[in-house]
Amino acid sequence: MRQLPADFFRTPHAFYGQLRAEGPVHQITLRNGVRAWVVVDYDAAKEVLRHPDIRKDPHSTTGAQARQTAAGSSGVTAANQRLSYHLLNADPPHHSRLRKLVTPAFAPARMEALVPRVEAIADELLDRLDPTAGRVDLLEEYAFPLPITVICELLGVPVEDREPFREWSAAVVDTPMSTPEGMRKATDAIVDYFDGLVALRREHGLGDDLISHLLTVTDDGDRLSHDELISMAFLILVAGHETTVNLIGNSVLTLLNDPPRYRALHDRPDAVAPLIEEVLRHNGPVNMATLRYTTAPIAVGATEIPAGELVLVALGSANRDERHFTDPAAFAPDRPSNHIAFGYGIHYCLGAGLARLEARIALTRLIARFPELRLAVDDDELRWRESILIRGLLDLPVDLAGAPVDSVLR
Ligand code: HEM
């Protein structure tokens, strides 16, 4: 049985490389004492993500047992169950039903229509940065507020309510770090909040926001139940910003580690989109996919995972599998993009289009405004989040380096 090494969250790739050299799947003890099978190869990851006997529903008997096992000393089982009826906890056919009801809300045309507003939010945030201030935390001032503002506006959550959401969401995402009491408190608060928001919509009429859309969606008379609706709003809120913050943060970090590449983008904004694809592969914001469990013995390579065991798919490792990518440690935006940073199979990220759009706008506007941006600390001083799920920084200290470029260039 392997343990996660002490420097895993800082530099996961040495460990992942060792594991891949030994086989596609390994039993690992996580920090909270939980044991899970971790899949590290690209082909095996895809196989597991689409396997019909590897499931997610925590309400089934096997699911409930797996969840209990997964809890370890963390607060997972203390979470308010009314938030558990969402896509990432659903298996077919229930998953197909939920997905069909929410997919239209993320249609490409709806996402494209958000471009002017996302650009305005990015510009407002950049306007607030004082170039004479010296060092600023770009995560706090830019990478975090941008996606949370977008997702709050999209859902119809008043923007002034976003601060408590940040705390609640962190308590839920960094589960190995959260206590049962913290988890209960955060999820109760989220339930109360969304109950209130839905009641307001029912009383005062619907708007053009996602909660209103989720309240009215219907497919042959089928609708989301109240708890499905608040669970979905919760999932979209958490999934919609925890990940995107770190796609922006990891992209900026990659670029600031290579200043000529950063500066070159100033005159080539069209090169930003392929660069983001390569960041998703090379240092994507999701470290391991969310928890799954086996409902039958499953062969992965020469290893058999027994029934009723927990399975984690290390997307960050699969995306650096040397059997699939040439020179995988090299950052090469011109390579073909077939990473699985947004997952694979039926749970493929619903917000991938929105995440790409936000990251592209965030980077383009930042580079246009601050072409001389520099990292304010050495690479070994950077602090990484200790999360199995999220690969991202705790802060990103930068030096804005001189006056911003005139707004004409924006
Ligand atoms: C860079 C940003 C993002 C990344 C890397 C990302 C990654 C992922 C991954 C890996 C999954 C699958 C998890 C699994 O199978 O265990 C997923 C699912 C999901 N994501 Fe994202 N995501 C991002 C942004 C977003 C955004 C902006 C939204 C919504 C506004 C969103 C909503 C969802 C939803 C609803 C699911 C569940 C889909 C299902 O189960 O059918 N994500 N995401």
Side-chain angles (χ1 to χ4, degrees):
M1 179 79 57
R2 315 283 288 246
Q3 309 271 345
L4 287 181
D7 62 352
F8 175 73
F9 296 108
R10 210 185 138 58
T11 52
H13 291 295
F15 181 60
Y16 280 150
Q18 280 168 22
L19 294 183
R20 284 195 307 274
E22 291 170 28
V25 63
H26 302 268
Q27 233 186 339
I28 291 184
T29 308
L30 306 178
R31 290 276 168 84
N32 57 2
V34 169
R35 286 191 276 173
W37 294 87
V38 177
V39 179
V40 289
D41 281 16
Y42 184 89
D43 288 336
K46 278 184 152 180
E47 205 181 306
V48 162
L49 290 173
R50 70 173 166 227
H51 203 296
D53 294 330
I54 300 183
R55 298 173 79 86
K56 293 187 99 329
D57 183 1
H59 306 105
S60 70
T61 313
T62 324
Q65 276 161 6
R67 195 181 159 84
Q68 193 64 45
T69 315
S73 58
S74 78
V76 175
T77 46
N80 189 316
Q81 289 305 297
R82 287 188 53 211
L83 291 179
S84 67
Y85 298 96
H86 57 67
L87 281 167
L88 274 177
N89 277 344
D91 297 313
H94 184 48
H95 175 270
S96 334
R97 176 190 152 247
L98 290 181
R99 182 106 185 184
K100 204 166 163 194
L101 287 168
V102 293
T103 298
F106 289 88
R110 283 183 79 102
M111 297 299 104
E112 238 1 81
L114 296 173
V115 166
R117 182 60 194 136
V118 178
E119 288 176 342
I121 295 168
D123 287 344
E124 279 164 30
L125 292 167
L126 291 170
D127 283 343
R128 284 192 220 149
L129 294 180
D130 174 6
T132 60
R135 178 191 281 211
V136 299
D137 176 4
L138 203 73
L139 226 49
E140 178 70 23
E141 305 295 335
Y142 189 57
F144 175 74
L146 184 112
I148 188 93
T149 307
V150 172
I151 207 71
C152 281
E153 289 190 5
L154 199 72
L155 277 168
V157 168
V159 96
E160 58 275 16
D161 294 342
R162 73 184 189 195
E163 260 318 303
F165 266 112
R166 186 178 184 176
E167 273 170 45
W168 300 336
S169 161
V172 174
V173 171
D174 292 336
T175 42
M177 316 291 282
S178 47
T179 60
E181 196 197 331
M183 176 65 88
R184 182 80 208 181
K185 234 171 110 185
T187 49
D188 283 352
I190 298 171
V191 167
D192 284 350
Y193 185 83
F194 278 126
D195 276 351
L197 210 61
V198 171
L200 271 179
R201 292 288 183 290
R202 288 195 198 279
E203 257 169 58
H204 299 290
L206 304 174
D208 188 24
D209 53 72
L210 204 67
I211 298 215
S212 300
H213 170 86
L214 293 176
L215 264 167
T216 50
V217 280
T218 164
D219 183 60
D220 283 342
D222 182 20
R223 282 181 174 229
L224 294 173
S225 71
H226 178 81
D227 284 356
E228 283 171 346
L229 183 128
I230 62 168
S231 297
M232 194 71 76
F234 157 71
L235 171 67
I236 289 169
L237 184 87
V238 173
H241 82 276
E242 288 287 352
T243 47
T244 314
V245 173
N246 297 302
L247 178 56
I248 299 171
N250 296 356
S251 301
V252 174
L253 175 64
T254 303
L255 283 170
L256 296 187
N257 276 325
D258 185 357
R261 196 193 289 277
Y262 179 80
R263 281 196 292 271
L265 287 178
H266 184 265
D267 301 321
R268 286 213 47 211
D270 56 312
V272 170
L275 183 127
I276 288 167
E277 286 314 303
E278 179 65 346
V279 173
L280 281 158
R281 183 197 71 81
H282 190 256
N283 201 14
V286 177
N287 185 3
M288 297 197 198
T290 54
L291 212 56
R292 288 166 164 76
Y293 57 87
T294 51
T295 56
I298 309 285
V300 180
T303 307
E304 186 177 90
I305 309 179
E309 300 271 309
L310 299 172
V311 181
L312 288 165
V313 176
L315 302 174
S317 173
N319 284 331
R320 289 216 188 185
D321 186 343
E322 32 292 282
R323 275 169 293 266
H324 194 79
F325 299 97
T326 313
D327 194 7
F331 183 78
D334 48 357
R335 71 168 81 231
S337 138
N338 50 9
H339 62 73
I340 52 168
F342 286 117
Y344 183 73
I346 61 165
H347 294 284
Y348 180 82
C349 179
L350 191 61
L354 178 61
R356 286 182 164 119
L357 180 150
E358 288 184 57
R360 176 170 47 83
I361 293 173
L363 281 194
T364 314
R365 300 308 242 216
L366 178 73
I367 295 160
R369 194 80 75 89
F370 293 103
E372 298 301 323
L373 195 74
R374 282 193 293 259
L375 207 53
V377 292
D378 287 336
D379 202 60
D380 57 4
E381 289 172 74
L382 291 167
R383 302 183 311 139
W384 292 89
R385 271 171 82 155
E386 303 224 333
S387 166
I388 290 292
L389 185 65
I390 297 290
R391 167 83 180 146
L393 292 163
L394 280 168
D395 37 33
L396 179 52
V398 296
D399 177 358
L400 297 175
V405 170
D406 191 86
S407 55
V408 167
L409 288 179
R410 283 186 216 168

